[in-house]
């Protein structure tokens, strides 16, 4: 049996030319439990060289976070997802992947049956510089693309934090996880400029979803109206165990109290994080 290797080369100032040299060594191995090339200076050019080598290898975990991967690199990631039959964890956080790039990644996932954990946080999916796109057609495209993730039957954890997707795509994403056969267990949507409209759509989905265990909505723009809707969904939902709403500064005491009150009718929620609010009692159930 061939020996399994792990390679950790994060924060090593790896450039594209270094990736090509690394690829020569990788080509002599067939099995990797983990390949970590995070926090380097790898661009789309280097990614193509890397993917060409590992696409047919047995690799469990691949971390490419904090590099300079853009939409062209995402198209090569699509090829990896379509053809590789072993990858389980993929970290693409803190790169430069935009709306076109996320389309490539989602298309790859439609043909993948092994990936369970996908991190796309802190890219440029919905806006640049933390500003959501004001183009409604673009928002619809982003939302529709991300909703295609529902057709993947293996994904259990999805992180889209820090992408400024806004309400419109969030609503479409929410609609996609209403279905009962959804496999997603953890969804991270923090720092996405989601307001009450998005929160209401998410609430509606939570009333029907029977798989999601952890939902992170911290650092958004949810106010009391969104909180009231979420409190109603908490009463109905019987599977969610953790909900994070910290740092939603439009959320006032009335909204917080409605959420806390809903806990009287829910037996599954173990952690409700509202710890940035000045109340006379601790609302954390941790």
């Amino acid at each position: 049996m061939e020996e399994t290797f792990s390679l950790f080369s994060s924060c090593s100032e790896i450039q594209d030319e270094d990736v090509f040299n690394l690829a020569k060594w990788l080509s002599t191995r067939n099995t990797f439990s983990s390949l970590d090339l995070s926090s380097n200076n790898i661009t789309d050019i280097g990614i193509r060289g890397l993917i060409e080598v590992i696409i047919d290898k047995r690799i469990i975990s691949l971390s490419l976070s904090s590099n300079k991967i853009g939409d062209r690199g995402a198209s090569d990631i699509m090829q990896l997802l379509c053809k590789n039959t072993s990858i389980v964890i993929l970290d693409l956080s803190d790169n430069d992947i935009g709306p076109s790039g996320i389309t490539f990644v989602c298309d790859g996932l439609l043909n993948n049956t092994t990936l369970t954990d996908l991190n796309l946080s802190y890219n440029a999916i919905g806006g640049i510089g933390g500003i959501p796109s004001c183009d409604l057609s673009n928002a619809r495209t982003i939302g529709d693309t991300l909703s295609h993730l529902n057709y993947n039957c293996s994904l259990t954890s999805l992180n889209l934090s820090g992408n400024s997707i806004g309400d419109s795509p969030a609503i479409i994403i929410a609609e996609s996880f209403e279905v009962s056969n959804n496999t997603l267990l953890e969804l991270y949507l923090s720092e996405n400029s989601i307001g009450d409209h998005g929160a209401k759509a998410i609430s509606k989905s939570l009333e029907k979803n029977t798989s999601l265990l952890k939902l992170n909505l911290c650092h958004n723009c949810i106010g009391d109206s969104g909180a009231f809707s979420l409190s109603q969904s908490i009463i109905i939902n019987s599977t969610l165990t953790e909900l994070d709403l910290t740092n939603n500064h439009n959320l006032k005491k009335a909204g917080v109290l409605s959420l806390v009150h809903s806990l009287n009718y829910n037996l599954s929620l173990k952690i409700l994080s509202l710890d940035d609010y000045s109340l006379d009692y601790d609302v954390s159930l941790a």
Side-chain angles (χ1 to χ4, degrees), residues 195-208 215 217 222-237 240 243 245 251 254-260 262:
D196 287 336
H197 291 299
K200 289 176 182 179
I202 291 171
S203 300
K204 182 180 177 182
S205 296
L206 285 175
E207 293 178 5
K208 298 179 180 180
L215 177 61
L217 293 170
I222 299 170
D224 286 346
S225 178
F228 293 145
S229 295
L230 286 168
S231 65
Q232 291 303 306
S233 69
I234 289 173
I235 293 173
I236 297 172
N237 183 281
L240 194 70
L243 175 62
L245 287 165
L251 183 54
V256 172
L257 290 175
S258 71
L259 288 163
V260 173
S262 69

Side-chain angles (χ1 to χ4, degrees), residues 91-112:
D91 188 350
L92 296 171
S93 62
D94 194 19
N95 277 287
D96 301 314
I97 300 173
S100 297
I102 191 61
T103 300
F104 289 129
V105 175
C106 289
D107 286 346
L109 282 171
L110 290 177
N111 296 284
N112 182 280

Side-chain angles (χ1 to χ4, degrees), residues 8-14 18 38-40:
F8 301 95
S9 293
S10 61
C11 302
S12 300
E13 300 183 359
I14 293 175
D18 301 314
S38 60
S39 301
N40 285 295

Side-chain angles (χ1 to χ4, degrees), residues 58-120:
R58 177 170 175 76
I59 181 168
I60 306 301
S61 175
L62 176 62
S63 178
L64 296 168
S65 67
S66 302
N67 277 288
K68 299 177 180 179
I69 304 169
D71 291 343
R72 285 195 303 167
S75 69
D76 292 304
I77 296 294
M78 176 188 70
Q79 295 300 320
L80 175 69
L81 291 172
C82 286
K83 297 180 180 180
N84 188 277
T85 59
S86 62
I87 189 165
V88 175
I89 301 170
L90 178 60
D91 188 350
L92 296 171
S93 62
D94 194 19
N95 277 287
D96 301 314
I97 300 173
S100 297
I102 191 61
T103 300
F104 289 129
V105 175
C106 289
D107 286 346
L109 282 171
L110 290 177
N111 296 284
N112 182 280
T113 59
T114 60
L115 196 74
T116 65
D117 192 324
L118 176 61
N119 191 340
L120 287 165

